[in-house]
Amino acid sequence: MKFFSKQLFLKIFLSLLITLSIFYLSQSQVYWTSFWNFLNIPAYIPFSDFKALNIFLEYKENGFDPYQKNPNSHPIHSVLIYPSVWLHIFDFLNLKNELNLKISILFVLFIYFYVLIDFVSRINNKLFKYFFIIFFFSTSNFLLIERLNIEIIVFCLVYFAIINKYFFIQLIFYTLSLVLKIFPIFSIFIFIKKKRNFLIVLILSITYIFIMRNEIVLIKENVIEYALIFAYGVLSISKAIYFYSIKFNFFINDNNYFIFKNLMILAVSSIATIIVLSNFRFNVKKKIEQISNEEKMFLSGAGVYIGTFLTSANIDYRLIFLLLTLPYILNTERNTLKVLYLICISICFNSLIFEGGDSYSLSYFIKASIVYLLKFIILFINCVFFGEVCNRFINININFIKNK
């Protein structure tokens, strides 16, 4: 117990130290900009993504629809791309008040750094610690912190759902993450061990998405299809091809882009599905086992990456969910896939470094092609292991039913 208390104290102390250091830096726009620019991170107003929710709340209070552009729209934060529940949260907590806003920022930063420190302390693997350091000092993480994007909150909620042993508490954290950002539905496979629990969560998730269907459509319409090196997903790649096609007068244009985009989604989704299913080996002789935290982490992290890759365009700070895949993959005996995966994520965590220059130049095309290829490799390797892990627990359920 004494050792645990020391560990807990150290986690809290380090989290507070990092939090207060970053928050102190944010009090000066000059120092803030200089610091992040030095780290190759394009700096804006401190914690701009988080603070932008007050802008959208103001739109709503002035009688405008935050999902639609209005005459007073902010040049950057012009339309809402989050569920409207965020506006209710900001209104309820009165985050227009400067003191309340600062306290909330401090709290979010503290929880985030506490989660990261707790995460690394739970994994007894030296190699994981090295790759954790690579992520922590990566441009993806720096961009996430500088913007204080709500992905931070979602990641923390998913993490708490994973490490908790009790289904009801897991369900609370998972549901909160789903309500706040929708895409955590792809982490639903953390409940796969028990069929009843999985069905309960699946029904609740589908019900919520059905209720929110109109809002989800608006969010989907407002999401920018980023054709950037530090973005990932089928829609990012489709948009990049579209831009090149328009520039050099190829066959993709405004008239057929919608069809092309959906064909891309269908093609990549089909390949991913085939890879997942090809790793199923139905063998009902396996013993019933408990799902480990490493397996739950992998199912969550891989599920989010695969799901968001196939359905959206994503800025690379969402790659934080790939951290969750590392403990499982580092323990696999498939060394070729493991080494390839580690190389790919190390580069992709820092993809912002490669951004810049003429978007239509040969050098930019080569850089973008290489980074996009690495992200495809990450997708396919995750599909391989995702099929294996899911297959094991499907076999366990089959075995359980057969024995029963």
Side-chain angles (χ1 to χ4, degrees):
M1 188 71 181
K2 186 176 179 181
F3 174 77
F4 172 78
S5 297
K6 287 182 179 179
Q7 288 287 85
L8 180 60
F9 173 80
L10 184 60
K11 291 175 187 178
I12 293 173
F13 174 76
L14 289 176
S15 303
L16 276 175
L17 181 63
I18 302 171
T19 296
L20 293 175
S21 298
I22 291 176
F23 187 79
Y24 177 78
L25 190 66
S26 71
Q27 301 308 295
S28 168
Q29 183 66 48
V30 174
Y31 291 150
W32 181 262
T33 304
S34 299
F35 175 76
W36 291 112
N37 286 346
F38 174 75
L39 296 173
N40 200 37
I41 304 298
Y44 188 51
I45 297 171
F47 315 122
S48 57
D49 284 359
F50 190 75
K51 291 179 177 178
L53 287 162
N54 270 326
I55 297 175
F56 297 118
L57 178 58
E58 185 177 347
Y59 294 164
K60 181 182 176 182
E61 291 175 342
N62 290 337
F64 297 109
D65 182 353
Y67 289 111
Q68 305 291 333
K69 286 187 178 181
N70 64 75
N72 303 317
S73 289
H74 189 277
I76 297 177
H77 304 290
S78 58
V79 289
L80 184 63
I81 59 173
Y82 307 134
S84 61
V85 65
W86 280 103
L87 305 185
H88 298 294
I89 292 172
F90 267 59
D91 186 28
F92 178 76
L93 297 177
N94 190 23
L95 296 189
K96 281 189 173 182
N97 179 278
E98 189 67 23
L99 178 60
N100 291 352
L101 183 63
K102 288 181 178 180
I103 291 173
S104 66
I105 290 171
L106 282 167
F107 179 74
V108 170
L109 286 173
F110 170 77
I111 295 298
Y112 177 59
F113 292 122
Y114 179 86
V115 163
L116 292 182
I117 294 169
D118 182 72
F119 184 17
V120 75
S121 69
R122 286 175 180 268
I123 308 302
N124 188 24
N125 186 309
K126 289 184 179 180
L127 192 55
F128 172 77
K129 291 175 172 54
Y130 294 137
F131 281 92
F132 175 84
I133 292 171
I134 290 174
F135 168 78
F136 189 84
F137 291 101
S138 70
T139 57
S140 295
N141 187 42
F142 287 159
L143 188 65
L144 183 60
I145 295 169
E146 194 276 333
R147 298 286 193 272
L148 198 65
N149 190 275
I150 63 173
E151 303 280 339
I152 281 181
I153 299 173
V154 175
F155 175 79
C156 293
L157 291 171
V158 171
Y159 176 78
F160 289 134
I162 292 170
I163 65 172
N164 205 282
K165 297 179 180 179
Y166 302 101
F167 170 68
F168 181 70
I169 299 176
Q170 282 185 319
L171 181 60
I172 290 174
F173 282 120
Y174 166 81
T175 303
L176 284 173
S177 68
L178 177 67
V179 168
L180 294 179
K181 204 62 169 71
I182 309 298
F183 75 79
I185 191 173
F186 297 120
S187 66
I188 194 173
F189 291 92
I190 64 176
F191 299 99
I192 197 174
K193 175 59 173 69
K194 293 187 177 180
K195 184 173 66 174
R196 185 192 65 178
N197 292 349
F198 182 79
L199 288 176
I200 290 172
V201 179
L202 181 62
I203 292 170
L204 288 175
S205 299
I206 293 174
T207 302
Y208 174 73
I209 288 175
F210 178 77
I211 294 171
M212 292 290 293
R213 63 191 183 281
N214 294 330
E215 210 166 276
I216 291 172
V217 170
L218 293 172
I219 293 170
K220 188 74 174 174
E221 291 175 350
N222 288 341
V223 170
I224 301 173
E225 296 176 359
Y226 297 99
L228 301 167
I229 293 177
F230 64 102
Y232 76 88
V234 176
L235 296 186
S236 292
I237 297 168
S238 300
K239 199 67 172 184
I241 294 173
Y242 162 81
F243 283 138
Y244 273 94
S245 182
I246 294 295
K247 175 70 174 179
F248 299 108
N249 198 27
F250 295 149
F251 65 96
I252 306 299
N253 52 47
D254 291 328
N255 296 325
N256 58 26
Y257 174 65
F258 179 80
I259 297 174
F260 170 73
K261 174 174 66 175
N262 285 282
L263 285 174
M264 284 282 290
I265 293 172
L266 178 61
V268 179
S269 298
S270 299
I271 295 171
T273 302
I274 291 170
I275 294 174
V276 170
L277 295 179
S278 67
N279 285 277
F280 273 57
R281 301 289 185 271
F282 291 104
N283 178 6
V284 297
K285 296 181 180 180
K286 294 185 178 181
K287 295 181 180 180
I288 298 175
E289 302 172 29
Q290 292 296 320
I291 184 170
S292 67
N293 273 348
E294 287 77 11
E295 287 169 322
K296 287 196 293 184
M297 287 177 181
F298 175 80
L299 289 173
S300 177
V304 167
Y305 183 79
I306 294 169
T308 55
F309 194 104
L310 299 177
T311 60
S312 185
N314 316 270
I315 294 297
D316 276 357
Y317 43 59
R318 190 168 289 174
L319 294 180
I320 185 175
F321 284 91
L322 288 180
L323 265 185
L324 298 173
T325 67
L326 285 175
Y328 178 81
I329 288 181
L330 286 172
N331 286 328
T332 184
E333 295 179 356
R334 302 177 70 167
N335 292 325
T336 301
L337 288 181
K338 181 197 304 185
V339 172
L340 183 58
Y341 190 79
L342 296 177
I343 292 172
C344 289
I345 65 168
S346 298
I347 296 172
C348 291
F349 280 158
N350 291 284
S351 59
L352 184 57
I353 293 174
F354 305 100
E355 190 64 61
D358 181 2
S359 300
Y360 299 103
S361 66
L362 178 61
S363 61
Y364 189 93
F365 176 80
I366 292 173
K367 289 189 299 182
S369 297
I370 292 173
V371 174
Y372 280 168
L373 174 61
L374 297 182
K375 291 172 182 176
F376 262 113
I377 293 172
I378 291 173
L379 171 70
F380 296 143
I381 293 177
N382 271 310
C383 288
V384 169
F385 290 116
F386 194 85
E388 289 184 356
V389 178
C390 284
N391 177 228
R392 189 168 80 83
F393 291 101
I394 289 173
N395 277 334
I396 288 173
N397 283 320
I398 292 174
N399 188 45
F400 177 76
I401 293 171
K402 183 178 179 182
N403 293 335
K404 190 174 180 180

